[in-house]
Amino acid sequence: MKIHKIVVILFSITLLVPSLALAKGNEPNVYFSKDEVASGNYYTAGASVEIVDKVEGDLFVVGGNIVVTGEVGGDILALGGNIRISGPVAGNVRIAGGNVEITGPVGKNVSVVAGTLNIASTSNISGSISVACGMLDIRGAVGGNLDGYVGEVIIAGTLKGDANLMLGPNNSVKFRDTAQVQGKFTYKAIKPAEVAPGAKISEPLNYLPYTKLEQGRYGADWWLKQLISIFSLLVTTLIITSLFPKFLEQVATIAQVKPWRQVAWGFVWLLVPPIVFILLMITLIGLPLALILLALYIIGLYLVPIFAGYTLYLYLKTISNLLFLNRWPLLLSVCVGIIVFKLLTFIPYLGWLVSLVALLWLWGAMISALKQALSNR
């Protein structure tokens, strides 16, 4: 399998799309109607983006919810939360998102990093598919090869080329009755595939079981989890930078002032909420409030790497004196910071310490910023 394809998707989308799309402005909602035609490339970004009419060139788009029903004469390069492409695409489709659905024809290749990828029965992919996602569901036709790192796979459509997949823990390939596989199908998983009686598979499946080493830390399965985790953070970053940019900057500013004080407060505020949850859950009246606070506590901990990434970016910008970093938009800055931060956490023997210090440091800064916001109100 070709991991470099996934790496190319990672950097092309997280670095190229934000800088190009945000250079054109970031509106809350973008609607490209039937009365418009983009004669060349089209760049846009917004909380909700809908492309109805034809784009003769390439389409570069960033948004929380993206819907493309119009025809695209070139490639699509997109970053978003929920992405649905139903219009015909003459070129390639390169996407990073939470939930991705392709229902229309694609003239060339599809490269996706996402939580879920659905290829509908109405879709016909002329080229190959390269994917890294938690769930892959193919019900349409794929003319080329299928390569990827996935958590779970459902094949209910037609695969004309060869397949080479690496699956996540406790998952395997499921072939439905409507599945047709014409090429070689090789997959590495913990358990063999589930094949429905009606599935038509031209050649015997090539099953490669995981070794114990590959299932452990820094094995292929571990890297798959990390890759999906990073892109989940990047999609969440899109929402945070769009809705709460001032709070993000405030947390990063507070984190740089007396950082060890924030680490100490982070330790305190990491232990106090669970105690409060338990006390509230003991009482019948406090149970709903306990559940709400628990949800906020978990969400806050999940967001720590995003704030850590932006704080790290500000620090690197300060010590490097590179002027071009000052021109980067907020979304691009945070994405780059997150990738650098995650790479630091992969360092053997020291990665856990980096994660722990960042957790306490930014958790303390987040609570301090939240207290300031509440006191101002």
Side-chain angles (χ1 to χ4, degrees):
M1 278 174 285
K2 302 177 181 179
I3 186 64
H4 71 274
K5 289 185 178 180
I6 306 301
V7 174
V8 169
I9 303 169
L10 170 66
F11 285 99
S12 64
I13 294 178
T14 58
L15 300 182
L16 181 60
V17 172
S19 60
L20 291 176
L22 293 180
K24 298 291 182 178
N26 190 359
E27 300 296 333
N29 297 290
V30 177
Y31 179 74
F32 188 70
S33 69
K34 293 183 178 180
D35 299 329
E36 302 178 81
V37 176
S39 57
N41 298 335
Y42 185 71
Y43 309 83
T44 187
S48 179
V49 179
E50 184 175 0
I51 308 296
V52 177
D53 210 345
K54 181 178 180 179
V55 177
E56 295 182 352
D58 298 335
L59 173 62
F60 300 84
V61 57
V62 176
N65 293 292
I66 300 173
V67 177
V68 180
T69 58
E71 180 182 352
V72 178
D75 298 342
I76 292 181
L77 192 60
L79 170 65
N82 297 305
I83 303 175
R84 187 173 188 269
I85 299 176
S86 57
V89 181
N92 300 298
V93 173
R94 299 184 179 93
I95 295 176
N99 300 304
V100 179
E101 182 181 13
I102 300 177
T103 63
V106 177
K108 294 184 180 179
N109 302 318
V110 172
S111 303
V112 174
V113 180
T116 62
L117 171 60
N118 296 311
I119 306 296
S121 59
T122 55
S123 179
N124 183 9
I125 312 298
S126 300
S128 300
I129 296 180
S130 300
V131 61
C133 66
M135 173 67 184
L136 173 62
D137 189 347
I138 298 180
R139 300 181 182 273
V142 180
N145 297 331
L146 172 63
D147 295 281
Y149 298 78
V150 293
E152 184 177 357
V153 180
I154 296 177
I155 305 294
T158 301
L159 298 180
K160 298 181 180 180
D162 297 335
N164 201 335
L165 298 175
M166 182 174 291
L167 281 84
N170 303 319
N171 290 313
S172 189
V173 186
K174 298 178 181 179
F175 293 93
R176 303 302 191 200
D177 288 312
T178 55
Q180 297 185 37
V181 180
Q182 301 176 7
K184 297 180 180 179
F185 197 101
T186 302
Y187 67 104
K188 177 171 285 191
I190 293 179
K191 56 184 180 180
E194 301 176 16
V195 183
K200 299 179 181 179
I201 302 177
S202 60
E203 299 185 24
L205 300 176
N206 185 17
Y207 168 52
L208 305 174
Y210 275 114
T211 64
K212 291 185 177 180
L213 179 62
E214 288 174 325
Q215 298 180 41
R217 183 172 174 84
Y218 301 125
D221 182 57
W222 183 86
W223 280 107
L224 172 61
K225 293 179 183 177
Q226 298 303 318
L227 187 63
I228 295 176
S229 173
I230 289 176
F231 274 90
S232 298
L233 278 174
L234 296 181
V235 173
T236 306
T237 299
L238 172 66
I239 300 174
I240 296 299
T241 54
S242 299
L243 300 180
F244 310 104
K246 293 184 179 179
F247 183 73
L248 177 61
E249 295 176 353
Q250 184 181 8
V251 172
T253 301
I254 293 175
Q256 297 179 78
V257 179
K258 297 181 179 180
W260 290 111
R261 179 181 178 182
Q262 303 303 330
V263 171
W265 278 111
F267 179 78
V268 172
W269 287 109
L270 196 65
L271 298 180
V272 170
I275 299 175
V276 176
F277 301 149
I278 295 174
L279 294 177
L280 288 174
M281 293 183 69
I282 293 176
T283 66
L284 182 61
I285 298 177
L287 181 58
L289 181 59
L291 296 177
I292 294 174
L293 292 177
L294 178 61
L296 294 175
Y297 182 73
I298 295 174
I299 293 172
L301 293 178
Y302 177 77
L303 295 178
V304 164
I306 296 176
F307 292 93
Y310 186 55
T311 304
L312 179 60
Y313 161 77
L314 293 178
Y315 176 73
L316 294 175
K317 184 175 69 171
T318 302
I319 64 175
S320 63
N321 293 323
L322 297 176
L323 297 179
F324 70 89
L325 295 179
N326 296 323
R327 297 191 295 269
W328 281 8
L330 180 61
L331 176 59
L332 177 60
S333 306
V334 181
C335 288
V336 172
I338 290 174
I339 294 174
V340 175
F341 171 71
K342 293 296 288 187
L343 290 176
L344 292 176
T345 62
F346 295 160
I347 300 176
Y349 307 109
L350 293 178
W352 68 271
L353 182 60
V354 174
S355 300
L356 177 60
V357 172
L359 172 63
L360 299 178
W361 181 27
L362 274 303
W363 183 246
M366 288 171 61
I367 297 298
S368 298
L370 186 60
K371 289 169 60 179
Q372 286 186 14
L374 293 176
S375 63
N376 293 335
R377 289 182 179 274

